Structures are given as C-alpha cells and as structure tokens.
Amino acid sequence: MSGNLFFTGLSGLNVARSSLVTTAHNTANVYTTGYTRQVAQVATNGAIATGSGYIGSGASVTTVTRSYDRYLTAQLASAQSSSAALNAYSEQIGRIDSLLADKTAGLSPLMQSFFTAVQGVANTPADSAARQQMISSAQSLSNKFRATNEYLSDLNDSLNEQITGSVEQINTYAKQIAGLNQQISMMTAAAGGQPPNDLLDQRDQLVSELSQIVDVKVLQQDSGKYNVFIGTGQSLVVGDQAAQMRAIASSADPTRQAVALVGIAGNVSELKDNAISGGSLGGLLSFRAQTLTPTQNAIGRLSMAMADAFNTQHGLGVDLNGALGGDFFTTAEPAIFTNAKNKGDMVLSGAITDTGALTTSDYSVEVKDVGGVLNYNVTRLSDNKSMGSFTTFPASFDGVSIDAASGTAQAGDTFLVLPTRNGARDMDVLVTDPAKVAAASPVITGNTAGNQGSGALGAASVDASYAQTPLAANVTLAYDATANTLSGFPAGADVTVTLADGSATTYAAGTAVPYTAGAKMSFDGITVSLTGTPAQGDTFSIKRNVAGVSDGSNALLLGALQRTTTVGSTTFNGAYTQLVSQVGNRAMEIKVASVTQDSVTGQIKASQQSISGVNQDEETANLLMFQQMYQANAKVIQTASTIFDAILGLSS
C-alpha cells in the first residue's frame, strides 16, 4: 500500500515539476516575438483493480500543447498583409502628392508665369526684353516638366530596387519555412508524435513575417508540414521544397522590374503585377500600376498637348524678320516596346495624330491568327477596353497612329504602346533668339485711303493650312456696288463665305463674291471680315507681314491657348488641377483605408494574443499553484516513506 502511495505521490511530483517548467518557459518567453503560450496537458493514470474497487495511481503529463487558434492566426496574417500593402502604397503616393501639390515650385505657377510672359510680348512686341522673358519662362517650364518626369522615373527605379529586395526576402523566408517543415517532421517522429512547439512557433512567425511582404495562403498537410501559396495559387513552399522567386526586367516593359517564380523543376514563370496582392510588395505593384504610371503619363500628355498647341499657333505667326515661326517646343513621339518573348521580328513605330485625343493610358497590341489572317487587337490598359482589331497598317486610336517599321509578326506576339510616357522627358525650348518669337500675324489688312464708303476690313486670322500655302502676293479686294460683290481674290483660290447663322457657301476661284456685312470670307487658310457699307470702287488690302515689329496679334492668340480646351475637354491648368485632385484624393483614400486596416489588424491581434499570448499575472498565479502542488505531492511521498519505515519496524 505504501508503495502505491509512494508512486502516486511521485507521479504528482512529476506532473507538478513539468507544469512548473512549462510555466517557467512561458514566463521566460513573455516578450519573445511569435511565442505561443504552452500548457502541460495532465491525464489520470490507469487505476489498479482491488477487491475493494479501483484504486487510483496518480497522474501524468501526456503532452505539452500550444494555446493556438489556427483560424485567428490565419486571419491575423491576412490582416497584416493588407495593412502592409496599404502602408507601402500610402508612403509612395504621399511623395507624388507632395510633388504635385507644391504651390510655389510646382508646374502650375510656372505655367502661369509662362503665359504671363506671353501676354507681355503681346502687349509690347517690339521689346526684346519681353521676348527674352518669354523664352526664359518657357525654359523654366520645360525644365520643370523634365524634372518632374525625372522624379517619377527615379521613383520607378526605387520601386525596382524595393521589388528586388522584397523578392530576396521572400526567398529567404521560403527556404527557412521549408527547412522548419523538415525539422518539425523529424523531431515529431523522434518524439513519438509529440509536437516541437517552439519550432512550430518559429514557423508560424516566419509565415507572419512573409505575409507582410506578400499575401500568402497556408495549407497544412496531414504530416503537419506547411504548403505555402502566393499570388493566384503559385506554390512557394511544398513540404521540404521551396521554390525561388526572381526579380527580372518585364518582358513587356524593360524599364520595370517584374516578379517571376522559379518552380521546383526550374521553370521560370513571369507573374503579372495584378497576380501579386497584399503585403508591401503587393502595395508597391498596385501603386505603380494605379498611380505612378497614370501620373507620369498625365504629365507627359500635358506637356505634349501644350507643346503641340503652342507650336501650331507659333507656326502661324511671323517673327521680327518676317519669317513664319518654327516649332517653339520639341515634341515627343510614342514609345513602343516589343515583348522580349515575341517569336516574330516585327518592329512598330508610332506617331501622335491628335494631342487633344490622347489619354493617360498605355495600350497593348496582341497579334492573333484568325482564319490564317493576322489580326492586331488593341486594348486600352487603363480600363481594358478594346480599341478595335485591324489587319493592315497604319492603325489609329485615341490620337495615336502605329505602323509597321520592319519585320513580320507571328501569332501570340505582343507590343506595348506608351503614347505619353516620355512626353515631359523630351520637352525642351527650340527658340532661343528673341527675334525669332513669332508674335505677329503673317497677314495684315488695310483700308485704302480715299475710300468713300464706311466699309472696314478687320484683322485677318489664319489657320493651320496657311503654313502650307503662305500668301504669295498682296491681295486687293474691290467692291462693285452695282452687283454688291467683292472681287480680287487670289487666282485659283476658292472663297467660302460664312454668315452669322453658320451657313456657308463656297465660290469657285475667279468668281465675284456677294458682299454681306460681317460675313467671314476664307481662302488659302486666311479668314477676313468686312463690315459697314463700302462705296463703289472702294478697295481693301490683304498683305504679307514682312516685319512684325509692333504687331502682337499672334502672341495674343498664343496667350489665349491658356484658356482653350486643348487637353481632352479641359485647359492646361484644368488638366493639371484634375491630376493634382485625383492624386490627392487617392492619397487621402489610401491613408484612411490604412488607418482603418491597422485598427482592424490591432483588434485581430488582440484576440489572437488573448488566446496565445503569455499573461504574466496568470503565469505567476500558476507558479504558486504548481509550487503548492509540488509541495503537497512531496508531503505524500514523505508520508509514504514514514508508513514504509513503520512497517519495517513492525516486521523487525
């Protein structure tokens, strides 16, 4: 009997000791990141059958388990992934927001200064200082466009480096998780199926840290090993094997790093940006696709629209030497990338046909074989809208024209068209001589001295076609009161008369034109209007302006471009304001979402820690409880020893 009592007390002593050690382990790891509270699981030993019934034989520790909730752990990893993505996005977009919204050094004040300088030339066209100020303001503006583009390009380079760093971290975590899978399996088997809790904690912590870089999904095998998946189901870790990721130049856009997965068999698969979600890496890729690229394209579009509109109007004026104005700004051409995986050798070229129709999107051209005929399908990437399919070149869409420069395509080939990406980068001022600022109108009008009537010929305006066929000789219009007509228009020039109600009539070359006061008369790109009541024989002159010294009429038209809807359906300032507003609103939206998600993550973490975290007060209470248990069982052993000694004494 005393022997049973001794072994029963000894079992309780062992249970108390194991519980004390487990509690001490918890206390020692109270601040260990990723540690999960452990509990010694106690079970009653089998009872001994006697004639008086079953007599208990104490207790034993069956295993040590973790206070672990798999659902909460997975939920926390997902929440942390979302938080990391939003934080990364918010940090990056904040930089662009600060750049665009600068009221003193941004593009908006420089555009205003430039058009103010243009107005100064219109007011004092003979002042060389005003002309130089216009050129200097234009150079400052173009420098700012280039600097803004360079900042955005540097930001893209920084993203490339961060993507590379993130991929290296993912590879490290994947390798460590696979290694722990193997260790856990081996140690579990060596311990007869008992779980190596500390290694399980280490593995869960690695998964948690990995989830902050990229969103992961974990599937636990029956053996206890983790299979880890990323993206749209790509395998990163399968049991003891870890795949590797690689940062490579995108096959579609070599200026940008893409993420590729190197499979266990060695096959390399480039992942689309939208296949990676969550974590800091997902946040960076989302920022690049949703904000960085559209912003760079928007700045490029603005610079291209401004350069094109200004060049067109500047080319319709004359400088101080009487020569038609040349291009004032340089203009960019679309960039077209041939996919590195293409099987054909076709190279595409591009041109801008209408800057007013440009968007801020890039475009994909995909070659498909339809019944033996190659079709080129164009997709606008910003909204995945099809822009049509064509079988021959050239093809036009959204103000862009593309053509086959050389080579032939094969089915499956793709091309990336970037209409505006380099617009700001390539903007510069071509006019550096103040005398070559075309501030004057190329055509001047006049009323012949001695006219008897009240007819007055207003200032002429010219359109883009005038630059192709400038006025060859002076024109003198004569009024015939009997027929109420005007004659003297250039030989070979049809004349179109547009009345106030918008109706227009075209008169063949050499035909006298009926006179209507205020009607617009257009020929060879020139439009004039005669008002009043001319008398018989009155004449009116239309001449080439050979020395536009005191004429600022074309500069007035250049200044009016500031208020013209030349960028889509808005003005230059309107387009820039829209961009600033869009980026600012998006930055605020991401910031609010980030704060909200951080709060959600904190709540989930609190719930998870309420189960898995170590509570120092609770562990202190457990220490006292198990200490008393130890002392009580030691007393049982002491009692058993006393009884045994008494029995030995009786037998002697």
Side-chain angles (χ1 to χ4, degrees), residues 152-170:
L152 297 174
S153 295
D154 289 345
L155 193 54
N156 178 65
D157 293 340
S158 175
L159 288 181
N160 288 339
E161 294 176 0
Q162 292 180 66
I163 290 170
T164 300
S166 296
V167 167
E168 292 174 353
Q169 286 182 293
I170 291 172

Side-chain angles (χ1 to χ4, degrees), residues 152-231:
L152 297 174
S153 295
D154 289 345
L155 193 54
N156 178 65
D157 293 340
S158 175
L159 288 181
N160 288 339
E161 294 176 0
Q162 292 180 66
I163 290 170
T164 300
S166 296
V167 167
E168 292 174 353
Q169 286 182 293
I170 291 172
N171 288 338
T172 299
Y173 285 131
K175 185 176 180 180
Q176 291 176 340
I177 292 171
L180 280 173
N181 272 343
Q182 186 176 29
Q183 291 183 54
I184 290 169
S185 179
M186 292 173 59
M187 294 188 69
T188 300
Q194 297 292 349
N197 293 316
D198 294 328
L199 291 182
L200 295 176
D201 285 345
Q202 290 178 33
R203 185 175 64 179
D204 284 338
Q205 180 61 23
L206 289 175
V207 171
S208 175
E209 293 174 4
L210 176 61
S211 71
Q212 296 180 53
I213 301 176
V214 63
D215 189 31
V216 297
K217 297 293 183 290
V218 177
L219 177 63
Q220 185 171 340
Q221 299 179 10
D222 293 339
S223 62
K225 295 180 180 180
Y226 278 0
N227 290 345
V228 181
F229 304 93
I230 62 171

